Each structure stands twice: as structure tokens, then as C-alpha cells.
């Protein structure tokens, strides 16, 4: 039985430097978007994701509902970026 499309929009950001892994996650998002309102963007590095989040912030747009991030990334690793992101989110929650 096919589920009805959800009323809520879900945005997922995927940060993965290995294309094969990123493709698998995107394939899952595409499959789920058949039944749910899901939008996703994929990023090859924490730096590129950070730039996109800063762009959202500067334009007053909403942050994604979910960020899936690899732990081992070139440049800034996922754990370091996650800590920075948590600080950013705590700041916004306090406003």
C-alpha cells in the first residue's frame, strides 16, 4: 500500500567526499521522495557545506532538517564541523 505524501517538506544535506557513497544516499532520497516531499543537496566537503549554510543564513532561509555527514572528509573533518555547527545552532536557538 502506497503511503500518502506528507504535508511537511523535508530538506536533507548530504556531505560525503566519496562519490559512490554519496550516490547511494541520493538514491535513497530519490526513492523516499516518491512518497514524501523530500529535497536534498549533496556536498563533497565540509567547507562547501559550510558555505551553503552561510548562504542560507545570510538570505534568512531555513537550515536543512537533517545533515548527513561523513566523519572522515578532506580538509575539515565531519566531527570538527559538527561541533562548529552545534555552536551556530545554539546561537540561533537563543535568538
Amino acid at each position: 500500500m502506497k503511503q500518502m505524501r506528507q504535508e511537511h517538506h523535508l530538506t536533507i544535506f548530504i556531505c560525503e567526499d566519496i562519490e559512490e557513497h554519496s550516490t547511494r544516499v541520493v538514491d535513497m532520497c530519490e526513492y523516499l521522495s516518491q512518497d514524501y516531499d523530500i529535497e536534498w543537496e549533496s556536498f563533497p566537503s565540509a567547507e562547501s557545506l559550510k558555505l551553503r549554510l552561510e548562504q542560507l543564513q545570510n538570505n534568512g532561509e531555513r537550515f536543512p532538517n537533517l545533515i548527513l555527514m561523513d566523519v572522515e572528509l578532506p580538509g575539515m573533518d565531519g566531527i570538527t564541523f559538527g561541533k562548529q555547527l552545534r555552536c551556530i545552532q545554539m546561537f540561533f536557538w537563543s535568538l
Side-chain angles (χ1 to χ4, degrees), residues 42-77:
S42 186
F43 304 89
S45 68
E47 289 83 5
S48 61
L49 174 57
K50 184 177 180 181
L51 289 173
R52 179 66 174 118
L53 293 173
E54 288 172 351
Q55 180 186 34
L56 292 174
Q57 178 185 354
N58 292 338
N59 293 334
E61 298 177 61
R62 292 184 51 166
F63 273 37
N65 301 99
L66 177 66
I67 297 175
L68 300 174
M69 179 174 288
D70 187 5
V71 175
E72 295 180 10
L73 292 164
M76 185 186 318
D77 65 77

Side-chain angles (χ1 to χ4, degrees), residues 19-44:
E19 189 173 339
E20 180 182 339
H21 297 173
S22 181
T23 300
R24 287 181 185 170
V25 176
V26 167
D27 288 346
M28 285 189 287
C29 289
E30 287 176 351
Y31 177 77
L32 290 172
S33 69
Q34 295 172 19
D35 296 320
Y36 299 96
D37 187 15
I38 298 175
E39 176 183 347
W40 63 90
E41 291 183 46
S42 186
F43 304 89

